[in-house]
């Protein structure tokens, strides 16, 4: 079993919140496990149990060179006594970046493939070539979103979260969003902040709800205006916000997911989106392992993990 640590939900205090008559708390899911943090813990949990149940000894998955999913899978598999293989987008590229270095140290076998080849990663030919090379494996899709992942993310909320009227989460593939949507109460609204540019994610989230046969008792919507240029892109404004948030609340954010969500949520508070009396919960979905690699790649300093 993956071992979950208790994590705090921290109330924030700031004059703006008082002025707007709202409460804001952060669920520190980033603290649920030292390596398998945030939503990745929940997305991997049932998948790895299923891999074991089916008698597999190894798992295989895909991701980018700085992927939180790759990093979490390496450590979660290790903890579950499984070996792991990571197919990484982009040949030779950054094979020594902090994310991949630590994944490799956790025992993951890393295979870099060209961007061209990576696009065919779900084709039967590509998967067959992989099993003739590595033997049988349990396959976890890129980003980790499948039925068992969504079963996991539907368990991210606890009874203590019922007091909130609004929940805020980052959105990548949407797997976390739909699990949460299926779990909220009728009086709750779920806001998903897309880390990607474009409106396509709205339809993808709808499709995931339908494909997994999910319904929501509450309201939910995906917001697409807080991507800051697109996936893994950033603006000066976003970086300043992350530093401000760290100084003000002592909570580290990452620039790929949680920074964009918190930026968007704070912006909506300023714009009086939330009626007075709202109790808002931000879900800190983790991703802090990527900060080291981001700084190495861009030279831009970020809040450190250890502080
Ligand atoms: C992967 C990730 C997400 C996105 O999750 P999806 O289920 O793909 O939408 C959000 N936040 C963090 C920190 C992540 O690592």
């Amino acid at each position: 079993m993956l071992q979950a640590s208790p994590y705090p939900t921290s109330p924030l205090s700031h004059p703006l919140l008082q002025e707007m008559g709202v409460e804001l708390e952060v669920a520190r899911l980033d603290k649920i496990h030292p390596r398998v943090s945030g939503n990745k813990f929940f997305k991997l949990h049932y998948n790895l149990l299923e891999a074991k149940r089916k008698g597999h000894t190894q798992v295989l998955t895909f991701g980018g060179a700085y992927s939180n999913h790759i990093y979490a899978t390496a450590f979660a598999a290790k903890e579950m006594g499984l070996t792991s293989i990571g197919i990484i987008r982009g040949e030779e590229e950054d094979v020594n970046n902090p994310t991949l270095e630590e994944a490799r140290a956790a025992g993951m076998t890393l295979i870099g493939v060209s961007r061209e080849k990576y696009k065919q990663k779900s084709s039967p030919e590509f998967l067959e070539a992989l099993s003739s090379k590595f033997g049988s494996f349990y396959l976890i899709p890129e980003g980790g979103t499948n039925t068992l992942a969504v079963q996991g993310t539907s368990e991210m909320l606890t009874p203590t979260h019922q007091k909130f009227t609004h929940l805020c989460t980052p959105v990548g593939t949407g797997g976390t969003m739909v699990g949460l949507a299926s779990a909220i109460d009728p009086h709750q609204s779920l806001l998903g902040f897309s880390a990607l540019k474009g409106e396509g994610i709205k339809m993808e989230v709808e499709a995931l709800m339908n494909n997994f046969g999910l319904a929501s008792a509450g309201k939910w919507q995906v917001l697409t205006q807080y991507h800051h240029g697109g996936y893994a892109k950033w603006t000066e404004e976003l970086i300043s916000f992350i530093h401000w948030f760290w100084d003000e609340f002592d909570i580290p954010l990452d620039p790929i997911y949680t920074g964009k969500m918190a930026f968007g949520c704070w912006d909506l508070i300023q714009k009086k989106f939330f009626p007075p009396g709202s109790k808002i919960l931000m879900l800190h979905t983790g991703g802090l392992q990527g900060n080291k690699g981001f700084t190495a790649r861009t030279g831009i300093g970020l809040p450190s993990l250890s502080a």
Side-chain angles (χ1 to χ4, degrees), residues 194-206:
S194 179
L196 292 73
K197 191 171 181 166
E199 299 296 309
I201 185 66
K202 292 182 180 172
M203 272 169 63
E204 279 170 40
V205 169
E206 292 270 6

Side-chain angles (χ1 to χ4, degrees), residues 39-40 43 68 143 145 170-177 254 257-258 285-287:
N39 62 342
K40 300 302 185 280
K43 294 182 83 168
N68 296 331
T145 292
V171 175
T173 63
T176 302
M177 171 95 195
D254 80 291
Y257 290 110
T258 57
T285 47

Side-chain angles (χ1 to χ4, degrees), residues 208-248:
L208 289 176
M209 289 294 284
N210 292 332
N211 294 346
F212 295 131
L214 301 173
S216 182
K219 293 198 210 83
W220 59 271
Q221 62 171 309
V222 181
L223 301 168
T224 51
Q225 68 270 43
Y226 296 109
H227 57 74
H228 292 266
Y231 184 71
K233 302 278 198 305
W234 71 93
T235 57
E236 294 291 329
E237 215 186 353
L238 174 66
I239 303 297
S240 308
F241 176 83
I242 289 171
H243 282 289
W244 172 80
F245 201 85
W246 170 242
D247 290 342
E248 194 75 28

